[in-house]
Amino acid sequence: MNVISRFFWFCAGVHLNTLKKHPTEFNKYIGIGATIFFTGLFAALSGGYAIYFVFKGDTAAVLFALFFGLLWGLAIFNMDRYIVSSINKNAGTGKQILQATPRILLAIMIGMVISRPLELKIFDKEIKERLKVSYLNNQQSKIDTLNKSFSNKYTIELAKLQDAKRQRDSTEAGIKSDREKLNFEIFGNKTAETSGIMGYGPYAKRKEAELKQRETQLDTLSAEVRRMERFVDDRKEFDGLLSERLYTTKQLDSLANVAGFADRNWALGQLSFNTNGTPDVNTSLAITFIGLLFIFFECLPVFVKLMSARGPYDRSVYNLEATQIHESEKEMQYEVAVIDNIHETRVSTETDKRKELIVKKAAHDLKNHDFNA
């Protein structure tokens, strides 16, 4: 019996002196104790990881994680140890199952609690990618909302700006066409709107004058457009539109790295669906089976105890408990008998005292009566 065996027997919650009498039971309770120990170990890792993310960025985050992880692991270990050791193997199968049912339900709840932080670590990469998509969509939605609100607020000004831009573009296109026609006229290219005579004649001069007039008009329209654009930009800056930009890749990485436990937990739930809203069966099954694995692992100590046959150790424990119960009852009977005898003695003694007092009082009264007579 080495130290490791004794430790696992302690984890199983056995009565060591009774177990030593039955060597055939050693391995069974080493297995049960090891299962309880590793369940507590996984709970410690899970709780420590969860607290680490709560205090991530704090200089004492690692210390908090170690302290809480150890505390949480010990709590789960102690609870599992109690659950397993309290199942009475000397009862019938139905009674054992009835005893184990609330314990299994409690184990399922504990398994769900300790599995979540570990699932967050297992799917860490996928969670960060989903968070990036979420942050980017939220930022885009915020920008769209601001733009829509701005458009509703400055509908008239934006309409005037668009109208001025259309006039400017139309005038610019007309100038380009007139310049082309002027060149055709000067170089003698015959078209439907040119004479085909080379040289700088009256028609070319008139076209050039019209062109300059339209260029002046274009300058006026361009200046008006620039003025209105400055006004709109000032309003956008005042309303905060210019300060809102889509996140860069570096910013998204930074946001995903500092995401809190709640955001990461939400993202883990969203992994069961694709970004377009359709179910992602493969990822959903992976998350479900990992969760079930930890739940089963938490329930495993109870299942092992239920599945194990009643052995000589269980019988010895039953006999020891029966003996102790019998001894306790006899001790109670002894104390009751003693108390009853003491009570009778006290009653008898008190009765004699009171009788003596009555006799003395009667004698005293008789003596006084004779004296008076």
Side-chain angles (χ1 to χ4, degrees), residues 297-356:
F297 195 78
E298 175 62 32
C299 297
L300 191 58
V302 180
F303 291 153
V304 169
K305 189 66 179 287
L306 287 175
M307 290 186 297
S308 62
R310 186 176 68 169
Y313 167 79
D314 299 306
R315 187 65 182 175
S316 295
V317 170
Y318 174 76
N319 293 335
L320 180 61
E321 290 177 347
T323 302
Q324 290 175 345
I325 292 172
H326 180 73
E327 183 182 2
S328 177
E329 290 177 349
K330 290 300 182 182
E331 185 71 21
M332 182 190 69
Q333 293 174 5
Y334 164 78
E335 292 294 338
V336 169
V338 170
I339 290 172
D340 288 343
N341 288 331
I342 291 175
H343 179 71
E344 290 176 0
T345 302
R346 290 176 63 188
V347 171
S348 177
T349 303
E350 186 66 21
T351 301
D352 292 341
K353 286 182 180 180
R354 293 189 182 187
K355 284 181 179 181
E356 186 178 349

Coordinates of all heavy atoms in Angstrom, one line a residue, residues 297-356:
F297 N -18.1 12.9 -17.6 CA -16.9 12.7 -16.8 C -17.2 13.1 -15.3 O -16.8 12.5 -14.4 CB -15.8 13.6 -17.3 CG -14.4 13.3 -16.7 CD1 -13.7 12.2 -17.2 CD2 -13.9 14.0 -15.7 CE1 -12.5 11.8 -16.6 CE2 -12.7 13.7 -15.2 CZ -12.0 12.6 -15.6
E298 N -18.1 14.1 -15.2 CA -18.5 14.5 -13.8 C -19.4 13.5 -13.2 O -19.4 13.2 -12.0 CB -19.2 15.9 -13.9 CG -19.8 16.4 -12.6 CD -18.7 16.6 -11.5 OE1 -17.6 16.9 -11.8 OE2 -19.0 16.4 -10.3
C299 N -20.3 12.9 -14.0 CA -21.2 11.8 -13.5 C -20.5 10.5 -13.3 O -21.1 9.6 -12.7 CB -22.4 11.7 -14.4 SG -23.4 13.1 -14.6
L300 N -19.3 10.3 -13.9 CA -18.6 9.0 -13.9 C -18.4 8.5 -12.5 O -18.6 7.2 -12.3 CB -17.3 9.2 -14.7 CG -16.6 7.9 -15.0 CD1 -17.5 7.0 -15.9 CD2 -15.3 8.2 -15.7
P301 N -18.0 9.2 -11.5 CA -17.8 8.6 -10.2 C -19.1 8.0 -9.7 O -19.0 6.9 -9.1 CB -17.4 9.8 -9.3 CG -16.7 10.8 -10.2 CD -17.5 10.6 -11.5
V302 N -20.2 8.6 -9.9 CA -21.5 8.1 -9.4 C -21.8 6.8 -10.2 O -22.3 5.8 -9.7 CB -22.6 9.1 -9.6 CG1 -24.0 8.5 -9.1 CG2 -22.3 10.4 -8.8
F303 N -21.6 6.9 -11.5 CA -21.9 5.7 -12.4 C -21.0 4.5 -12.0 O -21.5 3.4 -11.9 CB -21.7 6.0 -13.9 CG -22.7 7.0 -14.4 CD1 -22.4 7.8 -15.5 CD2 -24.0 7.1 -13.9 CE1 -23.3 8.6 -16.0 CE2 -24.9 7.9 -14.4 CZ -24.6 8.7 -15.5
V304 N -19.7 4.8 -11.7 CA -18.8 3.7 -11.3 C -19.3 3.1 -10.0 O -19.2 1.8 -9.9 CB -17.4 4.3 -11.2 CG1 -16.4 3.3 -10.5 CG2 -16.8 4.7 -12.5
K305 N -19.7 3.9 -9.1 CA -20.1 3.4 -7.8 C -21.4 2.5 -8.0 O -21.6 1.5 -7.4 CB -20.4 4.5 -6.8 CG -20.7 4.0 -5.4 CD -19.5 3.4 -4.8 CE -19.8 2.9 -3.3 NZ -19.8 4.1 -2.4
L306 N -22.3 3.0 -8.8 CA -23.6 2.3 -9.1 C -23.3 1.0 -9.8 O -24.0 -0.1 -9.5 CB -24.6 3.1 -9.9 CG -25.2 4.3 -9.2 CD1 -26.1 5.1 -10.1 CD2 -26.1 3.8 -8.0
M307 N -22.4 1.0 -10.8 CA -22.1 -0.2 -11.6 C -21.3 -1.3 -10.8 O -21.4 -2.4 -11.2 CB -21.4 0.2 -12.9 CG -22.2 1.0 -13.9 SD -21.4 1.3 -15.4 CE -20.0 2.3 -14.9
S308 N -20.6 -0.8 -9.8 CA -19.8 -1.8 -9.1 C -20.6 -2.7 -8.3 O -21.6 -2.3 -7.7 CB -18.7 -1.1 -8.2 OG -19.4 -0.3 -7.3
A309 N -20.3 -4.0 -8.3 CA -21.1 -4.9 -7.5 C -20.8 -4.8 -6.0 O -19.7 -4.2 -5.6 CB -20.7 -6.4 -7.9
R310 N -21.7 -5.2 -5.1 CA -21.5 -5.1 -3.7 C -20.4 -6.1 -3.3 O -20.6 -7.3 -3.5 CB -22.8 -5.4 -2.9 CG -22.7 -5.1 -1.4 CD -23.9 -5.3 -0.7 NE -24.4 -6.7 -0.8 CZ -25.4 -7.2 0.0 NH1 -26.1 -6.4 0.8 NH2 -25.7 -8.5 -0.1
G311 N -19.3 -5.6 -2.8 CA -18.2 -6.4 -2.4 C -18.1 -6.6 -0.9 O -18.9 -6.1 -0.1
P312 N -17.1 -7.3 -0.5 CA -16.9 -7.6 0.9 C -16.7 -6.3 1.8 O -17.1 -6.2 2.9 CB -15.6 -8.5 1.0 CG -15.0 -8.3 -0.3 CD -16.1 -8.0 -1.3
Y313 N -16.1 -5.3 1.1 CA -15.9 -4.0 1.9 C -17.2 -3.4 2.2 O -17.5 -3.0 3.3 CB -15.0 -3.1 1.0 CG -15.1 -1.7 1.5 CD1 -14.3 -1.3 2.6 CD2 -15.9 -0.7 0.9 CE1 -14.3 0.0 3.1 CE2 -15.9 0.6 1.4 CZ -15.2 0.9 2.5 OH -15.2 2.2 3.0
D314 N -18.1 -3.4 1.2 CA -19.5 -2.9 1.4 C -20.2 -3.6 2.5 O -20.9 -3.0 3.3 CB -20.3 -2.9 0.1 CG -19.6 -2.1 -1.0 OD1 -19.4 -0.9 -0.8 OD2 -19.4 -2.6 -2.1
R315 N -20.1 -4.9 2.5 CA -20.7 -5.7 3.5 C -20.1 -5.4 4.9 O -20.8 -5.3 5.9 CB -20.5 -7.2 3.2 CG -21.3 -8.2 4.1 CD -22.8 -8.0 3.9 NE -23.5 -8.8 4.8 CZ -24.8 -8.8 4.9 NH1 -25.6 -8.0 4.2 NH2 -25.5 -9.6 5.8
S316 N -18.8 -5.3 4.9 CA -18.2 -5.0 6.2 C -18.6 -3.6 6.7 O -18.8 -3.4 7.9 CB -16.6 -5.0 6.0 OG -16.2 -6.3 5.7
V317 N -18.7 -2.7 5.8 CA -19.2 -1.3 6.2 C -20.6 -1.4 6.8 O -20.9 -0.7 7.7 CB -19.1 -0.3 5.0 CG1 -19.8 1.0 5.3 CG2 -17.6 -0.1 4.7
Y318 N -21.4 -2.2 6.1 CA -22.8 -2.4 6.5 C -22.8 -3.0 7.9 O -23.6 -2.5 8.8 CB -23.5 -3.3 5.5 CG -24.9 -3.6 6.0 CD1 -26.0 -2.7 5.9 CD2 -25.2 -4.9 6.5 CE1 -27.3 -3.0 6.3 CE2 -26.5 -5.2 7.0 CZ -27.5 -4.3 6.9 OH -28.7 -4.6 7.3
N319 N -22.0 -4.0 8.1 CA -22.0 -4.6 9.5 C -21.4 -3.7 10.5 O -21.9 -3.6 11.6 CB -21.1 -5.9 9.4 CG -21.7 -7.0 8.6 OD1 -22.9 -7.0 8.4 ND2 -20.9 -7.9 8.0
L320 N -20.4 -2.9 10.2 CA -19.8 -2.0 11.1 C -20.8 -0.9 11.5 O -21.0 -0.5 12.6 CB -18.6 -1.3 10.5 CG -17.8 -0.3 11.3 CD1 -17.3 -0.9 12.6 CD2 -16.7 0.4 10.5
E321 N -21.6 -0.4 10.5 CA -22.6 0.6 10.8 C -23.7 0.0 11.6 O -24.2 0.7 12.5 CB -23.2 1.2 9.4 CG -22.2 2.0 8.7 CD -22.7 2.5 7.4 OE1 -23.8 2.0 6.9 OE2 -22.1 3.4 6.8
A322 N -24.1 -1.3 11.3 CA -25.1 -1.9 12.1 C -24.7 -2.1 13.5 O -25.5 -1.9 14.5 CB -25.5 -3.3 11.4
T323 N -23.4 -2.5 13.7 CA -22.9 -2.6 15.0 C -22.9 -1.3 15.8 O -23.2 -1.2 17.0 CB -21.4 -3.2 14.9 OG1 -21.4 -4.4 14.2 CG2 -20.9 -3.4 16.3
Q324 N -22.5 -0.3 15.1 CA -22.4 1.1 15.7 C -23.8 1.5 16.1 O -24.0 2.2 17.1 CB -21.7 2.1 14.8 CG -20.2 1.8 14.6 CD -19.6 2.7 13.6 OE1 -20.3 3.4 12.8 NE2 -18.3 2.8 13.6
I325 N -24.8 1.2 15.2 CA -26.2 1.6 15.5 C -26.7 0.9 16.7 O -27.3 1.4 17.6 CB -27.1 1.3 14.2 CG1 -26.7 2.3 13.1 CG2 -28.5 1.5 14.6 CD1 -27.4 2.0 11.8
H326 N -26.4 -0.5 16.7 CA -26.8 -1.3 17.9 C -26.1 -0.8 19.1 O -26.8 -0.7 20.2 CB -26.4 -2.7 17.6 CG -26.8 -3.7 18.7 ND1 -28.1 -4.0 19.0 CD2 -26.0 -4.3 19.7 CE1 -28.1 -4.8 20.0 NE2 -26.9 -5.0 20.5
E327 N -24.8 -0.4 19.0 CA -24.1 0.1 20.2 C -24.7 1.4 20.7 O -24.9 1.7 21.9 CB -22.6 0.3 19.9 CG -21.8 0.8 21.0 CD -20.4 1.0 20.7 OE1 -20.0 0.8 19.5 OE2 -19.6 1.3 21.5
S328 N -25.1 2.2 19.7 CA -25.7 3.5 20.0 C -27.0 3.3 20.7 O -27.4 4.0 21.7 CB -25.9 4.3 18.7 OG -26.5 5.6 19.0
E329 N -27.8 2.3 20.2 CA -29.1 2.1 20.8 C -28.9 1.6 22.3 O -29.7 1.9 23.2 CB -29.9 1.1 20.0 CG -30.4 1.6 18.7 CD -31.0 0.6 17.8 OE1 -31.0 -0.6 18.2 OE2 -31.7 1.0 16.8
K330 N -27.9 0.6 22.4 CA -27.7 0.1 23.8 C -27.2 1.2 24.7 O -27.6 1.3 25.9 CB -26.7 -1.0 23.7 CG -27.2 -2.3 23.1 CD -28.4 -2.9 23.8 CE -28.9 -4.1 23.2 NZ -30.0 -4.7 23.9
E331 N -26.4 2.1 24.2 CA -25.9 3.2 25.0 C -27.1 4.1 25.4 O -27.1 4.6 26.5 CB -24.9 4.0 24.2 CG -24.2 5.2 24.9 CD -23.3 4.7 25.9 OE1 -22.8 3.5 25.9 OE2 -23.0 5.5 26.9
M332 N -28.0 4.3 24.5 CA -29.2 5.1 24.8 C -30.0 4.4 25.9 O -30.5 5.0 26.8 CB -30.1 5.3 23.5 CG -31.3 6.1 23.8 SD -32.4 6.1 22.4 CE -33.0 4.3 22.5
Q333 N -30.2 3.0 25.7 CA -30.9 2.3 26.7 C -30.3 2.4 28.1 O -30.9 2.5 29.1 CB -31.1 0.8 26.3 CG -32.0 0.6 25.1 CD -32.0 -0.8 24.6 OE1 -31.4 -1.7 25.2 NE2 -32.6 -1.0 23.4
Y334 N -28.9 2.3 28.1 CA -28.2 2.4 29.3 C -28.4 3.8 30.0 O -28.7 3.8 31.2 CB -26.7 2.2 29.0 CG -25.8 2.6 30.1 CD1 -25.6 1.8 31.3 CD2 -25.1 3.8 30.0 CE1 -24.7 2.3 32.3 CE2 -24.2 4.3 31.0 CZ -24.1 3.5 32.2 OH -23.2 3.9 33.2
E335 N -28.3 4.8 29.2 CA -28.5 6.1 29.7 C -29.9 6.3 30.3 O -30.1 6.9 31.3 CB -28.2 7.2 28.7 CG -26.7 7.3 28.3 CD -25.8 7.8 29.4 OE1 -26.4 8.4 30.3 OE2 -24.6 7.5 29.4
V336 N -30.9 5.8 29.5 CA -32.3 5.9 29.9 C -32.5 5.2 31.3 O -33.2 5.7 32.2 CB -33.2 5.3 28.8 CG1 -34.7 5.2 29.4 CG2 -33.2 6.2 27.6
A337 N -31.9 3.9 31.3 CA -32.1 3.2 32.6 C -31.5 3.9 33.8 O -32.0 4.0 34.9 CB -31.5 1.8 32.4
V338 N -30.3 4.4 33.6 CA -29.6 5.2 34.6 C -30.4 6.4 35.0 O -30.6 6.6 36.2 CB -28.2 5.6 34.2 CG1 -27.6 6.6 35.2 CG2 -27.3 4.4 34.0
I339 N -30.9 7.1 34.0 CA -31.7 8.3 34.3 C -33.0 7.9 35.1 O -33.4 8.6 36.1 CB -32.0 9.0 33.0 CG1 -30.7 9.7 32.5 CG2 -33.1 10.1 33.3 CD1 -30.9 10.3 31.1
D340 N -33.6 6.8 34.7 CA -34.8 6.3 35.3 C -34.5 6.0 36.8 O -35.3 6.4 37.7 CB -35.4 5.1 34.6 CG -36.0 5.5 33.3 OD1 -36.3 6.7 33.1 OD2 -36.3 4.6 32.5
N341 N -33.4 5.2 37.0 CA -33.1 4.9 38.4 C -32.7 6.1 39.3 O -33.1 6.2 40.4 CB -31.9 3.9 38.4 CG -32.3 2.5 37.9 OD1 -33.4 2.1 38.0 ND2 -31.3 1.8 37.3
I342 N -32.0 7.0 38.7 CA -31.7 8.2 39.4 C -32.9 9.0 39.7 O -33.1 9.5 40.8 CB -30.7 9.1 38.5 CG1 -29.3 8.4 38.5 CG2 -30.5 10.5 39.1 CD1 -28.3 9.1 37.6
H343 N -33.8 9.0 38.8 CA -35.1 9.7 39.0 C -35.9 9.1 40.1 O -36.4 9.8 41.0 CB -35.9 9.7 37.7 CG -37.2 10.4 37.8 ND1 -37.4 11.7 37.9 CD2 -38.5 9.9 37.9 CE1 -38.6 12.1 38.1 NE2 -39.4 10.9 38.0
E344 N -35.9 7.7 40.1 CA -36.7 7.0 41.2 C -36.0 7.3 42.6 O -36.7 7.5 43.6 CB -36.7 5.5 40.9 CG -37.6 5.2 39.7 CD -37.5 3.7 39.4 OE1 -36.7 3.0 40.1 OE2 -38.2 3.2 38.5
T345 N -34.7 7.3 42.6 CA -34.0 7.6 43.8 C -34.2 9.0 44.3 O -34.5 9.3 45.5 CB -32.5 7.4 43.6 OG1 -32.2 6.1 43.2 CG2 -31.7 7.7 44.9
R346 N -34.2 9.9 43.4 CA -34.5 11.3 43.7 C -35.9 11.5 44.2 O -36.1 12.2 45.2 CB -34.3 12.2 42.5 CG -32.8 12.4 42.1 CD -32.7 13.2 40.8 NE -33.1 14.5 41.0 CZ -33.3 15.4 40.0 NH1 -33.0 15.0 38.7 NH2 -33.7 16.6 40.2
V347 N -36.8 10.8 43.6 CA -38.2 10.9 44.0 C -38.4 10.3 45.4 O -39.1 10.9 46.3 CB -39.2 10.2 43.0 CG1 -40.6 10.0 43.6 CG2 -39.2 10.9 41.7
S348 N -37.8 9.1 45.7 CA -37.9 8.5 47.0 C -37.2 9.3 48.1 O -37.8 9.5 49.2 CB -37.2 7.1 46.9 OG -37.2 6.5 48.2
T349 N -36.1 9.9 47.8 CA -35.4 10.7 48.7 C -36.2 12.0 49.1 O -36.3 12.4 50.2 CB -34.0 11.2 48.2 OG1 -33.2 10.0 47.9 CG2 -33.2 12.0 49.2
E350 N -36.7 12.6 48.0 CA -37.5 13.8 48.2 C -38.8 13.5 49.0 O -39.2 14.3 49.8 CB -37.8 14.5 46.9 CG -38.5 15.8 47.0 CD -37.7 16.9 47.6 OE1 -36.4 16.7 47.6 OE2 -38.2 17.9 48.1
T351 N -39.3 12.3 48.7 CA -40.6 11.9 49.5 C -40.3 11.7 50.9 O -41.1 12.2 51.8 CB -41.1 10.6 48.9 OG1 -41.4 10.8 47.5 CG2 -42.4 10.2 49.6
D352 N -39.2 11.1 51.2 CA -38.8 10.9 52.7 C -38.6 12.2 53.4 O -39.0 12.4 54.5 CB -37.6 10.0 52.8 CG -37.8 8.6 52.3 OD1 -39.0 8.2 52.3 OD2 -36.8 7.9 51.9
K353 N -37.9 13.2 52.7 CA -37.7 14.5 53.3 C -39.0 15.2 53.6 O -39.1 15.8 54.7 CB -36.8 15.3 52.3 CG -35.3 14.9 52.3 CD -34.6 15.8 51.3 CE -33.1 15.4 51.3 NZ -32.4 16.3 50.4
R354 N -39.9 15.1 52.7 CA -41.1 15.9 52.9 C -42.0 15.2 54.0 O -42.7 15.9 54.7 CB -41.9 15.9 51.6 CG -41.2 16.8 50.5 CD -42.1 17.0 49.3 NE -41.4 17.8 48.3 CZ -41.9 18.3 47.2 NH1 -43.2 18.0 46.9 NH2 -41.2 19.0 46.4
K355 N -41.9 13.8 54.0 CA -42.7 13.1 55.1 C -42.1 13.5 56.5 O -42.9 13.8 57.4 CB -42.5 11.6 54.9 CG -43.4 11.1 53.8 CD -43.2 9.6 53.7 CE -44.1 9.0 52.6 NZ -43.9 7.5 52.5
E356 N -40.8 13.6 56.6 CA -40.1 14.0 57.8 C -40.5 15.4 58.2 O -40.8 15.7 59.4 CB -38.6 13.9 57.7 CG -37.9 14.1 59.0 CD -36.4 14.0 58.8 OE1 -35.9 13.5 57.7 OE2 -35.6 14.4 59.7

